[in-house]
Amino acid sequence: MPWREARAASAAIKLSAAPHEVKLIGSDEPATAVWAYNAAVPGPILRGRQGETLRVEFSNRLDEATTVHWHGLRIPNAMDGVPYLTQDPIAPGGRFTYEFPLQDAGTFWYHPHVNTPMQVGRGLAGALIVDEADRPDVDRDVVWVLDDWRLQKDATFAPFGTLHDAAHAGRFGNVATINGRDLDPFEVTAGERLRLRLINAANARIFGLVIKEHDPWLIAVDGHPVKPRKLKNGRAIVAPGMRLDLIVDMTGKPGDSFDIIDSAYQRQTYRIARIAYRDASPRRRDRPPPNALQANPVAVPDMKSSVDHEMAFQGGAMGGLREAVFKGETKSLRDLAAMGMVWAVNGEVLPPLEAGDVGDPMLDLKLGRSYRLRWTNDTAFDHPIHLHGHSFHVLARNGAPLAEPQIQDTVLIAPEETVDVAFVADNPGDWALHCHVLEHAAAGMMGYLRVS
Ligand code: C2O
Ligand code: CU
C-alpha cells in the first residue's frame, strides 16, 4: 500500500487534521493545498479487529473547528462526531479522544462532520477497516478510496458552497482519484486473488467501476456480508458514503494491461486508472467461488410489530417544490434559496445542524422497537441517504421486495424511487440522518432521529 496503516492495539492511534500539499493532477503539475489527516490524502488506514476497542487521540491543527465521524460504525452516541448533537465542535488547537468497541467487521471510513462539504472536499477522509476473526483466503487485501476534486487550472480548489451545486447534483469534481492520485498503474500478479475494498469519499459523484476483462464477486456492502455474487455487468456502483467489498481474481497474463473505467453516468465514461500485470510467473489459479463472510451482530427487525413512517425527500432544482416550512414558517422556494436552503423532507426544510441549529428530531423512536421507514425520492436528483448509529435492512425498492434483504448504512435512492428500510432502534441517542451528497445535507437534507 502506498500509505501508512495504523493498527489498533493497546496503544492509541494518533490522528491529526492539518493543511498539507498534495499533487493531485500529476507529478509535473502544481500541488494542491489540501487538508489532510496525518499529512496523507486519503488519511491513514485505521485498522482493528472485531471485538477490539479503537482509541484515537485526535488533534485539530486546522484553523477552523472540526470533529471526526466514524461512518457506518455502530458506536456509543458520544463518539459519533456530530457537532452540537453528540459533542462540541473541536476548536482549532483542540483535542478529543475517541474510543469505542468495534462490534462489526468490514469496510468503514472516517471524515469530519463540521463544514463537511468543504472539509471532506479538501481531502479529510480515510478508511477504517475492521478485520473479521475468519479472514477470507485472498493474496492481498487492498483499499481504494475513490474521490473526485474540483480544481482550477492552477490546481487550487474551485470555490466551495455554490447555490448551483446545492440545488443540483452536488459538487462534482473534474479530477477523479483512487487513493489520492492516479493509480497508474495498479500492479498485480497473474493468478492472484484480491479483496478489493471500495470506499466512495466524494462529495457527490457516484462511481461505477469496471475493471475491463475481469469479473469480480461482491461479498459485502457497507461492511455487511452479502451472499457472494457476480457484479451485474461487472460494474461496482458505489454512491457517496458507501462501500463495496469485492473479490477479484486476476485472470490476465503476465504483461497484460487493462483499463479501469468509471461508467456510472451515461455518456461520461472515462478511464480512472489502469491495471498492469507484472512480468512474474503466475500464482495458483482455478479459484473456487468465495465463501460468504460471517454476518455481523445486527439485530433483525421484527416486521410484525414494526412501526412505519414515511419520509419524502423533496426540493432542489426542477423538483416542483414551491414552498416549504423552515423554522415554523412557510417560505417560497425562492426565499429559501436566498438562504441556501433548497431541500425538504415531508414539506420541512431541516435547519442547518452543523451550524449549531439543532431543531427537533425528525422522529422519536423507542429503544428496542423495530421501525420501517419508507423513503421516497420526489426530486430530480439521486440521494444516498445515510443513518448514523444503526445499520438498516433494505427490504424493498418501489414496493418490490429484494431477493435478499441487504444490510447497509447508506442507500442510494434514484429520482421517483421508493426504498423501504427497517431496523431495530437499539442504540440510544440522537442520530443524524442525511443525504450523503454533502451539499444537499448542508442545504436542508440533514436531520436526526432520537432513540430513547
Ligand atoms: Cu459519512 Cu453523517 O456521514
Ligand atoms: Cu441528496
Side-chain angles (χ1 to χ4, degrees):
M1 290 277 49
W3 76 100
R4 282 158 297 148
E5 192 173 294
R7 178 167 273 288
S10 41
I13 292 168
K14 291 207 181 340
L15 190 72
S16 65
H20 188 63
E21 296 221 320
V22 171
K23 297 208 166 183
L24 290 170
I25 307 183
S27 45
D28 300 332
E29 304 291 333
T32 300
V34 298
W35 293 350
Y37 289 120
N38 292 6
V41 168
I45 299 178
L46 307 186
R47 195 151 200 148
R49 280 191 201 89
Q50 190 171 18
E52 280 180 343
T53 292
L54 190 73
R55 185 181 160 93
V56 179
E57 292 173 356
F58 174 74
S59 62
N60 179 9
R61 295 204 233 113
L62 302 171
D63 59 15
E64 63 177 56
T66 191
T67 57
V68 187
H69 168 59
W70 313 95
H71 181 122
L73 288 178
R74 302 184 298 130
I75 58 180
N77 194 247
M79 297 291 120
D80 197 45
V82 179
Y84 307 103
L85 200 62
T86 73
Q87 70 170 107
D88 291 331
I90 306 163
R95 294 167 178 280
F96 192 90
T97 298
Y98 291 96
E99 187 165 11
F100 45 83
L102 300 170
Q103 294 195 65
D104 296 332
T107 304
F108 303 95
W109 64 299
Y110 59 97
H111 64 76
H113 227 293
V114 175
N115 191 11
T116 311
M118 185 189 283
Q119 293 196 3
V120 173
R122 283 182 178 272
L124 291 169
L128 196 166
I129 306 300
V130 183
D131 287 313
E132 42 285 283
D134 263 329
R135 299 179 67 175
D137 176 24
V138 295
D139 298 306
R140 271 198 291 164
D141 187 320
V142 175
V143 177
W144 284 1
V145 178
L146 313 176
D147 209 342
D148 78 338
W149 314 78
R150 193 189 296 171
L151 302 177
Q152 305 180 109
K153 283 216 176 60
D154 59 357
T156 59
F157 285 105
F160 284 88
T162 71
L163 182 61
H164 185 276
D165 287 347
H168 293 79
R171 180 183 176 91
F172 267 67
N174 48 13
V175 177
T177 58
I178 298 179
N179 294 343
R181 56 167 179 262
D182 286 331
L183 267 192
D184 236 359
F186 176 68
E187 292 204 330
V188 300
T189 302
E192 70 176 335
R193 170 169 274 193
L194 307 184
R195 177 180 189 164
L196 183 57
R197 303 171 187 263
L198 305 178
I199 301 173
N200 186 345
N203 286 33
R205 177 183 293 279
I206 299 167
F207 286 90
L209 290 198
V210 176
I211 304 174
K212 290 279 186 188
E213 307 300 329
H214 290 72
D215 194 13
W217 300 85
L218 177 68
I219 59 164
V221 176
D222 287 355
H224 296 286
V226 298
K227 186 137 127 252
R229 60 168 186 262
K230 292 288 178 76
L231 291 169
K232 208 166 150 202
N233 303 321
R235 181 181 294 123
I237 296 173
V238 208
M242 289 190 67
R243 292 87 61 211
L244 296 185
D245 282 40
L246 310 178
I247 295 285
V248 194
D249 289 324
M250 306 318 302
T251 46
K253 301 183 301 300
D256 276 353
S257 160
F258 298 99
D259 285 347
I260 306 168
I261 300 294
D262 175 12
S263 59
Y265 301 92
Q266 273 184 354
R267 297 186 299 275
Q268 289 180 41
T269 296
Y270 66 99
R271 191 191 79 141
I272 186 167
R274 189 168 60 89
I275 290 224
Y277 279 75
R278 295 185 187 96
D279 260 322
S281 53
R283 300 177 87 113
R284 66 190 159 116
R285 301 233 188 97
D286 296 333
R287 301 282 194 167
N291 293 324
L293 298 166
Q294 214 197 323
N296 285 314
V298 178
V300 179
D302 173 14
M303 299 320 295
K304 288 203 191 74
S305 68
S306 74
V307 178
D308 295 358
H309 290 282
E310 299 200 0
M311 284 183 197
F313 299 97
Q314 305 154 322
M318 304 171 287
L321 187 74
R322 296 239 173 80
E323 54 180 34
V325 175
F326 185 43
K327 300 191 195 177
E329 274 180 57
T330 302
K331 296 206 181 297
S332 69
L333 197 62
R334 172 189 286 255
D335 287 351
L336 289 165
M339 293 181 283
M341 306 302 283
V342 290
W343 302 95
V345 182
N346 293 348
E348 205 170 326
V349 175
L350 299 165
L353 176 66
E354 293 185 348
D357 204 341
V358 179
D360 296 328
M362 301 166 79
L363 295 171
D364 266 299
L365 308 184
K366 225 172 155 329
L367 185 63
R369 186 166 280 178
S370 294
Y371 290 88
R372 172 164 50 191
L373 306 184
R374 168 160 287 188
W375 288 335
T376 301
N377 180 352
D378 283 338
T379 80
F381 297 92
D382 291 312
H383 303 290
I385 302 297
H386 171 49
L387 173 62
H388 287 211
H390 297 77
S391 296
F392 45 75
H393 288 65
V394 180
L395 302 178
R397 283 188 184 268
N398 293 327
L402 264 62
E404 255 175 284
Q406 190 161 300
I407 302 175
Q408 298 179 208
D409 56 67
T410 307
V411 65
L412 179 61
I413 311 178
E416 288 169 42
E417 195 177 29
T418 291
V419 172
D420 295 345
V421 305
F423 61 98
V424 180
D426 55 3
N427 199 356
D430 288 344
W431 299 106
L433 187 160
H434 61 90
C435 180
H436 223 286
V437 171
L438 302 176
E439 290 71 26
H440 293 176
M445 268 190 142
M446 173 155 49
Y448 67 98
L449 307 183
R450 174 163 293 161
V451 177
S452 60

